[in-house]
Amino acid sequence: MCIKPKKDLKPLLALAKRTRKYGWLKNFDSISLQQAIINLDKAFDNFLNPKLKTKHPKFKSRRGRQTSYHCIGVKVLSDAVKIPKLGPIKAKLHREIKGKVKSITISCNASGKFFASILSDDNQGTPETCRSIDTAIGIDLGILHFATDSNGCKTDNPRFLLRAERNLKRKMKALSRKKVGGKNRNKSRLIVAKCYEKLTNTREDFQHKLSRKLIDENQAVIVETLETANMLRNYRLSKHIADAVWSGFIEKLAYKANQSGKHLVKVDRFFASTKTCHSCGKKSFISLNDRVWTCNCGITHDRDTNAAINILKQGLIMLKAEGHSVSACGCLHKTSES
Ligand SMILES: [Zn+2]
């Protein structure tokens, strides 16, 4: 028999609240209980969808990230947030909330910090995307340099994990020596969680700043979609690829572009951006170690810059095909190689 969580479990909530065993459910916001079932439903839908390759839903650990969603009876006060069945929760508001508050999602991360994400409607739709494009940039993402753009400008890969690794290793070793279920183990677990939190925060900060800069300076940003799942199988590179978190970076570019009416173009990953000479268009065989190579036509290329220019050219073709007027050109502005 197939159980649909949303259809079959939701009515059971009301029944469970009347029983002695699950009576405590009454003390909490009913919306957040229903939302948990909706989330479960979505998780199973994703799992059953063969296109998504999602794994079977897991039971959540009590120690990991926790969230609860509230959309009725929510309020944002000057120094607190209010959700149903609880008194005002003291909060530090980082920005002014404009418009009507639609929902509040409260989350608690592994290191025990609480956050409230507030969704509000300010009645302003997303800005229209610009039709004519005069500034565009191609980005090649990599390990040695996190991003190389089509103007030859390179952003170093900060390799956050590498820097935090020794510290993390020591703290995780200490955690593994603590008795399971003991007080000291919990203390040690919090120390490791804080260390990971710092690692994630520095990485996010770096990616937010870089993506903001790229979107603000250009009308179209063109990136290559990368198949990281396959690349992660390379054991020499996997750690560095996982540390770079390119997909998170592309996500940040996408929503920032959407917010400000700019274009983010994703070029197919089978497009041979590295091997093709951007000047004559012929393909050459180059290995992973060739950082600089010379094409048969006589031009010496920087590997990443050449790839970024090819990505830019391909992206501009795609934008033109979509009917945008493109005046940006796919050539090198500041030549770094000639
Ligand atoms: Zn060539």
Side-chain angles (χ1 to χ4, degrees):
M1 194 182 74
C2 173
I3 291 178
K4 286 296 287 171
K6 213 157 131 188
K7 204 171 125 246
D8 299 328
L9 289 183
K10 242 185 181 177
L12 293 181
L13 263 179
L15 289 179
K17 278 181 192 172
R18 270 183 245 140
T19 61
R20 185 183 274 181
K21 193 176 173 190
Y22 297 107
W24 51 270
L25 285 171
K26 272 187 283 192
N27 303 338
F28 302 98
D29 183 11
S30 60
I31 300 283
S32 69
L33 301 175
Q34 287 172 22
Q35 189 62 35
I37 293 175
I38 294 172
N39 291 347
L40 179 67
D41 197 63
K42 200 173 175 206
F44 269 108
D45 273 350
N46 289 347
F47 169 62
L48 296 171
N49 185 346
K51 273 185 201 158
L52 291 175
K53 292 183 192 163
T54 318
K55 286 183 185 157
H56 192 280
K58 286 186 292 190
F59 281 102
K60 295 284 175 282
S61 157
R62 274 169 61 192
R63 298 190 189 91
R65 198 177 117 91
Q66 311 277 324
T67 59
S68 78
Y69 170 88
H70 311 271
C71 65
I72 290 174
V74 289
K75 236 189 249 170
V76 178
L77 311 169
S78 60
D79 61 345
V81 291
K82 176 89 183 68
I83 56 168
K85 308 244 172 158
L86 279 178
I89 304 164
K90 242 184 148 186
K92 231 183 233 172
L93 297 180
H94 292 275
R95 66 192 75 175
E96 197 193 339
I97 308 294
K98 286 175 194 149
K100 193 177 181 296
V101 176
K102 289 280 187 185
S103 72
I104 298 181
T105 306
I106 296 197
S107 60
C108 169
N109 66 8
S111 66
K113 281 186 189 150
F114 283 88
F115 298 91
S117 12
I118 298 161
L119 174 77
S120 70
D121 186 5
D122 57 359
N123 281 325
Q124 287 172 358
T126 45
E128 277 195 25
T129 45
C130 44
R131 300 291 298 168
S132 66
I133 296 153
D134 11 272
T135 47
I137 200 162
I139 308 285
D140 179 59
L141 298 172
I143 293 171
L144 195 63
H145 298 286
F146 182 79
T148 306
D149 67 28
S150 48
N151 299 332
C153 181
K154 293 180 178 191
T155 309
D156 277 335
N157 187 358
R159 303 219 182 174
F160 297 110
L161 184 65
L162 209 68
R163 280 197 247 159
E165 207 168 27
R166 259 180 67 197
N167 185 20
L168 255 175
K169 228 179 210 169
R170 202 179 64 243
K171 285 174 178 162
M172 281 163 95
K173 210 175 206 172
L175 170 66
S176 71
R177 288 196 185 115
K178 302 286 189 300
K179 207 174 110 191
V180 177
K183 260 187 192 167
N184 285 326
R185 192 179 177 92
N186 201 32
K187 274 186 222 161
S188 203
R189 185 186 61 78
L190 273 179
I191 291 172
V192 173
K194 270 182 194 156
C195 204
Y196 267 115
E197 186 185 299
K198 193 172 178 203
L199 175 67
T200 326
N201 285 349
T202 37
R203 193 189 278 144
E204 291 280 294
D205 180 61
F206 162 75
Q207 293 195 350
H208 274 302
K209 280 175 184 159
L210 184 61
S211 57
R212 171 52 62 208
K213 183 169 168 273
L214 286 170
I215 293 290
D216 282 353
E217 287 173 0
N218 300 283
Q219 282 164 336
V221 176
I222 299 144
V223 289
E224 194 176 19
T225 52
L226 299 151
E227 183 72 359
T228 29
N230 281 338
M231 293 166 91
L232 284 174
R233 289 201 193 121
N234 182 334
Y235 73 98
R236 278 170 205 265
L237 294 177
S238 61
K239 192 158 70 177
H240 305 297
I241 290 168
D243 186 33
V245 202
W246 294 317
S247 59
F249 181 65
I250 293 176
E251 256 169 44
K252 288 181 188 74
L253 280 174
Y255 87 78
K256 286 191 175 104
N258 194 14
Q259 271 178 356
S260 43
K262 309 270 174 94
H263 297 269
L264 176 77
V265 185
K266 292 176 190 169
V267 174
D268 194 88
R269 70 194 153 91
F270 296 112
F271 171 64
S273 59
T274 312
K275 291 173 188 165
T276 313
C277 163
H278 75 78
S279 172
C280 67
K282 279 188 186 141
K283 284 178 192 166
S284 311
F285 179 78
I286 47 171
S287 77
L288 249 178
N289 295 326
D290 297 333
R291 307 308 312 175
V292 176
W293 57 283
T294 308
C295 172
N296 289 336
C297 71
I299 295 183
T300 304
H301 293 297
D302 174 272
R303 178 198 179 89
D304 297 334
T305 311
N306 176 56
I309 295 170
N310 282 325
I311 290 169
L312 172 64
K313 278 185 174 174
Q314 186 68 17
L316 292 179
I317 293 171
M318 284 163 74
L319 280 170
K320 272 181 199 161
E322 282 171 20
H324 299 288
S325 82
V326 179
S327 53
C329 69
C331 51
L332 209 56
H333 300 301
K334 287 176 255 160
T335 30
S336 62
E337 59 213 14
S338 54

